[in-house]
C-alpha cells in the first residue's frame, strides 16, 4: 500500500523539510510526498533536488480564489494553518490517491508508520492526540488533538470532514484563542462525535514531542529507538518525533522550547536531528551561498531579565544552548 503524505513550508524551513523527506526514504517502503512550497526560493531549490517519491507544488498551482481572498488578512503562520486542510483536499482532488496524511515539516520518522495505519483499518479519518504530560497540559487552548499527523481517506466520510475543516479555517484561523477556537487545531476537538469513521491514534510511538516525552524513558537498540511508558512499563518503538519550537538564532544559539527534556531525549533525539539539519544546510549552501535554510532569527526571544533566566534555570526549562557546545557535549 502506498502511503500518501503532504506537507507545507517555505525556505525558512528547508532543512527541516528535507530531513523529514530523508527520514521517510529510510523508514517507509512505499510512499508519495506532496510538498507545497510556500515561497519561490523553496520551490526552486526543492525542484532542483529531484527528491525521491516527491511532487513539488507551487503556490501558483495550489492557491484558489478563496485562499487568495483571505490571504491578506492572515499572518504568514496563520496562512499556513489556514491552508493545511486545503493541501490535503488538493491532493485528493488532483491526484489518483485513496488516502492522504498531512504531516508537519518539523517531524522526523524513526520507524515505519505502518502500525498507525493498521490501527485505522476501515475507518476514514485518523487524529493524533497531544498526550500532554500533566504539567504541560494546554488542552483548553491548543486542543486535544495536534495537526501534526492527520489522515483522510478519499471517501465520503473523509471528504465530508475535510471540507468542513477547510470551510471553518477560511472563515477563521488566527494565532489567538477566541470563542473556543485557536488556529486550525481546536476545530478537531469534537470530530469523534461530529463525523463518522474517526479513529484516534493509540500507538505512543507516534506524536512524540516536547510536551509529552516526560512520561517516557528512551533507549537506542540498534537502529531503533525504544520507549517505555513510565506509568505502565509498556514498551513501544518510536515512530515519529515532532520538533516543535526548535529555533536557530543568528548568534549561534539554539532553543528547544520551555519544557523539561531529559538527557536521554536530548542525546537520542535532539542532537542527531540538529546535526542532520546542519549537514543539510551545508549541502544547500554549496549551491546557494549566503542563504540560511534554517531560517535563523535574531536572538530577541531569550529572557530579558536575570530573574526570568534564573527561574527557567531552576525549573529546568531553559533549553537554550550554544549550538557548537550542545552538539559536542
Amino acid at each position: 500500500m502506498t502511503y500518501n503524505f503532504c506537507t507545507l513550508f517555505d525556505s525558512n524551513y528547508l532543512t527541516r523539510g528535507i530531513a523529514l523527506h530523508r527520514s521517510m526514504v529510510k523508514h517507509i517502503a512505499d510512499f508519495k510526498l506532496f510538498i507545497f512550497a510556500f515561497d519561490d526560493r523553496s520551490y526552486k531549490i526543492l525542484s532542483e533536488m529531484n527528491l525521491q517519491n516527491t511532487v513539488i507544488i507551487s503556490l501558483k498551482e495550489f492557491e484558489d480564489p478563496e485562499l487568495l481572498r483571505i490571504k491578506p488578512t492572515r499572518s504568514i503562520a496563520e496562512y499556513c494553518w489556514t491552508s493545511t486542510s486545503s493541501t490535503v483536499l488538493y491532493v485528493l482532488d488532483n491526484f489518483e490517491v485513496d488516502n492522504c496524511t498531512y504531516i508537519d515539516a518539523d517531524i522526523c520518522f524513526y520507524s515505519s508508520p505502518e502500525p498507525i495505519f493498521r490501527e485505522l483499518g476501515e475507518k476514514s479519518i485518523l487524529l493524533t492526540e497531544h498526550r500532554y504530560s500533566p504539567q504541560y497540559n494546554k488542552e483548553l487552548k491548543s486542543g486535544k488533538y495536534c495537526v501534526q499527523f492527520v489522515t483522510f481517506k478519499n471517501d465520503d466520510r473523509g471528504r465530508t470532514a475535510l471540507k468542513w475543516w477547510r470551510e471553518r479555517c477560511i472563515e477563521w484561523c488566527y494565532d489567538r484563542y477566541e470563542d473556543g477556537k485557536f488556529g486550525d487545531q481546536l476545530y478537531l476537538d469534537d470530530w469523534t462525535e461530529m463525523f463518522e469513521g474517526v479513529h484516534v491514534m493509540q500507538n505512543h510511538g507516534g506524536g512524540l514531542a516536547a510536551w509529552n516525552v516526560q512520561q517516557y524513558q528512551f533507549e537506542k537498540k540498534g537502529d531503533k529507538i525504544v520507549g517505555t511508558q513510565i506509568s505502565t512499563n509498556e514498551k513501544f518503538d518510536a515512530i515519529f518525533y515532532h520538533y516543535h519550537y526548535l529555533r536557530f538564532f543568528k548568534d549561534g544559539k539554539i532553543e528547544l522550547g520551555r519544557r523539561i527534556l531529559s538527557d536521554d531525549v536530548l542525546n537520542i533525539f535532539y542532537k542527531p536531528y540538529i546535526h542532520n539539519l546542519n549537514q543539510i544546510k551545508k549541502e544547500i549552501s554549496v549551491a546557494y551561498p549566503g542563504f540560511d535554510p534554517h531560517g535563523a532569527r535574531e536572538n530577541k526571544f531569550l529572557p530579558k531579565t536575570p530573574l526570568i533566566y534564573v527561574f527557567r534555570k531552576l525549573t529546568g526549562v531553559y533549553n537554550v544552548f550554544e549550538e557548537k557546545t550542545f552538539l559536542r557535549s
Side-chain angles (χ1 to χ4, degrees), residues 21 25 28-34 50-55:
H21 174 265
V25 171
I28 308 176
D30 188 4
F31 77 92
K32 178 74 76 173
L33 176 63
F34 299 88
N50 194 27
L51 299 174
Q52 179 180 340
N53 299 344
T54 301
V55 176

Side-chain angles (χ1 to χ4, degrees), residues 117-136:
F117 292 114
R118 196 186 322 133
E119 279 186 33
L120 181 59
E122 297 302 313
K123 293 189 176 181
S124 300
I125 301 156
L126 184 138
L127 301 178
T128 309
E129 290 181 290
H130 281 101
R131 291 196 206 98
Y132 292 110
S133 296
Q135 64 269 44
Y136 301 126

Side-chain angles (χ1 to χ4, degrees), residues 116-174:
I116 295 173
F117 292 114
R118 196 186 322 133
E119 279 186 33
L120 181 59
E122 297 302 313
K123 293 189 176 181
S124 300
I125 301 156
L126 184 138
L127 301 178
T128 309
E129 290 181 290
H130 281 101
R131 291 196 206 98
Y132 292 110
S133 296
Q135 64 269 44
Y136 301 126
N137 194 329
K138 294 176 62 179
E139 190 171 311
L140 287 178
K141 179 182 176 181
S142 297
K144 182 177 183 179
Y145 305 108
C146 183
V147 184
Q148 60 184 329
F149 190 107
V150 55
T151 300
F152 297 88
K153 289 185 179 177
N154 199 0
D155 58 21
D156 288 342
R157 297 186 302 185
R159 293 178 68 89
T160 295
L162 180 58
K163 288 180 178 179
W164 180 90
W165 189 25
R166 168 182 151 91
E167 290 167 2
R168 300 293 79 70
C169 288
I170 287 174
E171 288 174 1
W172 192 100
C173 189
Y174 298 97

Side-chain angles (χ1 to χ4, degrees), residues 280-294:
I280 295 169
K281 179 181 177 179
K282 289 177 183 177
E283 294 173 26
I284 294 174
S285 296
V286 171
Y288 294 88
F291 162 59
D292 178 13
H294 280 342

Side-chain angles (χ1 to χ4, degrees), residues 28-195:
I28 308 176
D30 188 4
F31 77 92
K32 178 74 76 173
L33 176 63
F34 299 88
I35 298 178
F36 291 79
F38 263 48
D39 60 14
D40 291 340
R41 174 178 273 166
S42 62
Y43 180 77
K44 182 176 188 297
I45 295 174
L46 290 166
S47 298
E48 291 173 353
M49 295 184 76
N50 194 27
L51 299 174
Q52 179 180 340
N53 299 344
T54 301
V55 176
I56 313 300
I57 300 165
S58 68
L59 277 180
K60 183 178 180 180
E61 297 170 89
F62 162 65
E63 291 177 315
D64 61 23
E66 282 294 285
L67 288 171
L68 289 170
R69 177 179 62 81
I70 56 88
K71 187 174 183 178
T73 70
R74 313 280 159 96
S75 68
I76 293 174
E78 290 167 346
Y79 187 62
C80 288
W81 297 345
T82 300
S83 300
T84 299
S85 52
S86 294
T87 62
V88 183
L89 188 59
Y90 184 93
V91 173
L92 297 184
D93 282 347
N94 291 278
F95 300 90
E96 294 183 0
V97 300
D98 59 11
N99 66 84
C100 186
T101 300
Y102 171 81
I103 48 177
D104 279 338
D106 52 355
I107 75 168
C108 185
F109 286 95
Y110 294 95
S111 64
S112 171
E114 191 274 336
I116 295 173
F117 292 114
R118 196 186 322 133
E119 279 186 33
L120 181 59
E122 297 302 313
K123 293 189 176 181
S124 300
I125 301 156
L126 184 138
L127 301 178
T128 309
E129 290 181 290
H130 281 101
R131 291 196 206 98
Y132 292 110
S133 296
Q135 64 269 44
Y136 301 126
N137 194 329
K138 294 176 62 179
E139 190 171 311
L140 287 178
K141 179 182 176 181
S142 297
K144 182 177 183 179
Y145 305 108
C146 183
V147 184
Q148 60 184 329
F149 190 107
V150 55
T151 300
F152 297 88
K153 289 185 179 177
N154 199 0
D155 58 21
D156 288 342
R157 297 186 302 185
R159 293 178 68 89
T160 295
L162 180 58
K163 288 180 178 179
W164 180 90
W165 189 25
R166 168 182 151 91
E167 290 167 2
R168 300 293 79 70
C169 288
I170 287 174
E171 288 174 1
W172 192 100
C173 189
Y174 298 97
D175 188 10
R176 63 178 184 265
Y177 180 84
E178 181 179 303
D179 297 330
K181 302 186 293 290
F182 178 77
D184 58 348
Q185 204 148 259
L186 278 172
Y187 290 123
L188 309 183
D189 267 21
D190 300 325
W191 278 21
T192 55
E193 291 80 35
M194 288 177 60
F195 300 110

